[in-house]
Amino acid sequence: MKRALLIINIGTPDKPEKKAVKRYLTEFLNDKQVIDIPWLLRKILVNLIIIPFRVSNSTQLYKRLWKKDGSPLLTYQNKLTEKLNQKLKGEYDVFSAMRYGNPSLKYVLKDIMKNKYDELLVLPHYPQYATSTTLSTINKVKKELKDFADAPKLKFVDQFYDHPAFINAFVHNIKMHDVDSYDHVVFSYHGLPDRQVNKMHPGINSPDCTCHVAMPEHGKNCYKATCYQTTRLLASALKLDKEKYTVSFQSRLSKNWLMPFTDVELIELLKKGKKKILVVSPAFVTDCLETEVEIGYEYQEDFIKNGGEKLQLVESLNDSDAWVNGIAEIIKD
């Protein structure tokens, strides 16, 4: 059987310049599953309010993120794809694309179709399932392939937050730091609007919700539940006491997003005398704006300014050998 593996990440601007950043944000934020409000209201909000007011600041952030060889998200993904092609040679031909921006999912899928594969396995690069990331990516793949009469058999890895290979790869990176030398560990996940989480798991914010203490039976596709379960699995592997770590959410756009907020939580920990903090971001398998700039620069600067001694970000999985081997295990299962 001739098989292809397609890895899809969220995306990045082509350049850290206003025109490129605006083009990227326009495609990203106009996705109805990213901002899930009525069409007309979304168009007004995104194109007349959010983008005009955010593009300049976002461009400055991308300039801070950018390396000599370009966007880390794209650079790491390209290297990861090369390593996987070597690792899986004879089993899969490995391709990579971005949900928004380049390399375009549309054109990568066209290239895949030229090779007449029997099976296409799609791995959205998001450990925890969310409609705004995973489902949006899956729907886009299906849409682009629907007009091909000879499309290959499609399979999807919809999430892998609890796969031992993913957990072990992150534990490997965390152990590169002396965890015992830190006062506290913060597991920071990308935030989501409460309304999106409520659609998948009604009552998520009610006092009766137990996602933060145990994985509910109906929580498989609840983003909040899978984030807390990811943390429990990592903490167990690291033998962390419950008092030693905290779960929080970053990158919010309003107060009606998943709480507690990471930046607020870091200051609260400072007030409790926790001056050395290790931050892990298990929602990101590749370092990007949210890890390197938001946590590694903005949160760190604020933490130190308020009296903290050290805020250390754990490097994500990127193109590490541990993650190459991890993906090989995940797709076999």
Side-chain angles (χ1 to χ4, degrees):
M1 183 178 285
K2 192 176 180 183
R3 297 183 294 184
L5 169 64
L6 175 59
I7 295 175
I8 306 172
N9 217 321
I10 196 74
T12 178
D14 294 324
K15 297 178 181 179
E17 300 172 358
K18 278 189 178 182
K19 186 176 180 180
V21 172
K22 182 179 180 181
R23 183 167 60 246
Y24 171 72
L25 291 178
T26 298
E27 181 184 4
F28 174 41
L29 296 176
N30 275 289
D31 185 338
K32 65 181 180 180
Q33 285 169 318
V34 172
I35 298 184
D36 55 340
I37 58 178
W39 179 85
L40 182 58
L41 183 57
R42 182 173 67 253
K43 292 297 179 183
I44 294 172
L45 178 65
V46 170
N47 300 301
L48 299 182
I49 300 175
I50 295 179
I51 292 178
F53 282 94
R54 287 191 62 185
V55 69
S56 293
N57 182 58
S58 293
T59 301
Q60 293 305 312
L61 295 177
Y62 277 110
K63 284 182 178 179
R64 182 174 293 279
L65 171 72
W66 229 251
K67 305 292 191 294
K68 288 183 179 180
D69 52 358
S71 166
L73 189 73
L74 181 58
T75 301
Y76 284 128
Q77 181 140 318
N78 286 340
K79 291 179 179 177
L80 178 66
T81 304
E82 291 175 10
K83 290 184 177 182
L84 282 168
N85 265 312
Q86 295 174 6
K87 175 79 176 178
L88 301 173
K89 190 173 183 179
E91 299 179 58
Y92 288 91
D93 291 336
V94 186
F95 300 83
S96 70
M98 297 295 179
R99 173 63 183 88
Y100 314 99
N102 295 307
S104 163
L105 183 53
K106 178 178 182 177
Y107 291 105
V108 172
L109 284 169
K110 282 186 176 180
D111 284 341
I112 290 173
M113 290 304 299
K114 292 176 184 176
N115 290 292
K116 305 291 183 182
Y117 290 99
D118 301 300
E119 180 181 293
L120 173 59
L121 176 59
V122 180
L123 176 65
H125 231 176
Y126 323 118
Q128 299 84 15
Y129 179 93
T131 55
S132 56
T133 52
T134 316
L135 182 60
S136 174
T137 299
I138 290 172
N139 286 346
K140 179 68 172 177
V141 171
K142 290 179 177 178
K143 179 181 178 181
E144 294 298 338
L145 291 179
K146 69 180 178 65
D147 293 330
F148 288 94
D150 57 345
K153 180 181 179 181
L154 270 176
K155 291 184 177 181
F156 295 94
V157 179
D158 59 359
Q159 57 185 348
F160 47 85
Y161 70 93
D162 57 348
H163 196 287
F166 167 71
I167 297 298
N168 291 339
F170 245 112
V171 168
H172 174 270
N173 280 15
I174 296 169
K175 284 185 174 180
M176 292 175 68
H177 302 270
D178 182 6
V179 180
D180 291 335
S181 69
Y182 291 87
D183 299 324
H184 204 77
V185 180
V186 172
F187 293 93
S188 179
Y189 296 82
H190 198 291
L192 283 181
D194 289 335
R195 67 176 185 278
Q196 287 189 12
V197 184
N198 271 313
K199 287 179 181 179
M200 299 302 297
H201 185 169
I204 191 74
N205 291 320
S206 74
D208 297 327
C209 178
T210 59
C211 283
H212 62 292
V213 293
M215 185 67 176
E217 291 182 9
H218 56 289
K220 180 179 181 295
N221 285 338
C222 169
Y223 179 75
K224 179 180 178 181
T226 56
C227 287
Y228 274 96
Q229 182 65 3
T230 305
T231 300
R232 284 189 287 269
L233 292 170
L234 289 169
S236 176
L238 292 164
K239 295 181 172 57
L240 290 179
D241 293 333
K242 289 184 179 180
E243 297 76 20
K244 178 77 174 180
Y245 65 89
T246 300
V247 175
S248 59
F249 300 88
Q250 62 184 89
S251 311
R252 69 186 183 277
L253 292 181
S254 78
K255 64 180 181 180
N256 298 316
W257 280 48
L258 286 173
M259 297 176 70
F261 302 137
T262 301
D263 55 342
V264 175
E265 187 64 23
L266 289 171
I267 300 304
E268 290 301 313
L269 287 168
L270 260 181
K271 293 177 181 177
K272 296 175 183 177
K274 313 293 185 182
K275 295 190 175 185
K276 294 182 180 179
I277 306 291
L278 186 66
V279 183
V280 187
S281 296
F284 305 95
V285 294
T286 311
D287 279 316
C288 54
L289 194 72
E290 286 81 1
T291 58
E292 292 197 9
V293 176
E294 186 173 10
I295 296 175
Y297 175 73
E298 293 180 340
Y299 290 0
Q300 182 188 62
E301 185 178 57
D302 192 45
F303 186 76
I304 300 300
K305 184 175 68 177
N306 280 278
E309 294 179 10
K310 186 175 184 180
L311 184 73
Q312 176 65 52
L313 172 66
V314 173
E315 184 180 13
S316 196
L317 304 183
N318 298 324
D319 64 328
S320 66
D321 291 341
W323 185 223
V324 172
N325 294 330
I327 290 177
E329 290 298 318
I330 289 168
I331 64 175
K332 283 178 183 176
D333 293 341

